[in-house]
Amino acid sequence: MNRLVLQAQLLERAALRYTPAGLPALDLVLKHESEVSEDFHPRKVSLEMRSVAIGEVTQPLGRLELGATRTFAGFLAAARNGRGIVFHITALD
């Protein structure tokens, strides 16, 4: 199963673009910070993740203020250049 749910802050949002199929798309950068337990020891986690939203979910993401924290859901896929991963956002809570 490939499903990711992440509470994160909207750090960057590029201009709305369209895929070759004509679907709206937004390129985003999300920032996550939290404290988790690993082997019964607390660990601070901080990361920035390249993300993309395609289709109807671009509408609420386009209205979301930079710096806003929300819960994003979707899946992970390889970046187009094969270097790294991209979080594909399919839902926003």
Side-chain angles (χ1 to χ4, degrees), residues 3-11 28-36 45-52 61 64 68-76 85-93:
R3 175 113 173 109
L4 177 64
V5 177
L6 185 70
Q7 186 173 19
Q9 179 183 32
L10 178 58
L11 204 59
L28 312 162
V29 175
L30 302 179
K31 181 178 183 177
H32 171 83
E33 292 181 323
S34 64
E35 187 171 299
V36 297
V45 176
S46 180
L47 62 94
E48 291 183 12
M49 181 176 284
R50 291 185 304 146
S51 308
V52 66
L61 284 168
L64 190 61
T69 299
R70 295 289 188 277
T71 301
F72 301 86
F75 61 92
L76 298 175
I85 58 172
V86 177
F87 178 27
H88 285 251
I89 300 168
T90 57
L92 174 67
D93 289 332

Side-chain angles (χ1 to χ4, degrees), residues 13-32:
R13 178 182 46 233
L16 183 68
R17 62 180 176 84
Y18 289 87
T19 68
L23 296 171
L26 280 174
D27 295 305
L28 312 162
V29 175
L30 302 179
K31 181 178 183 177
H32 171 83

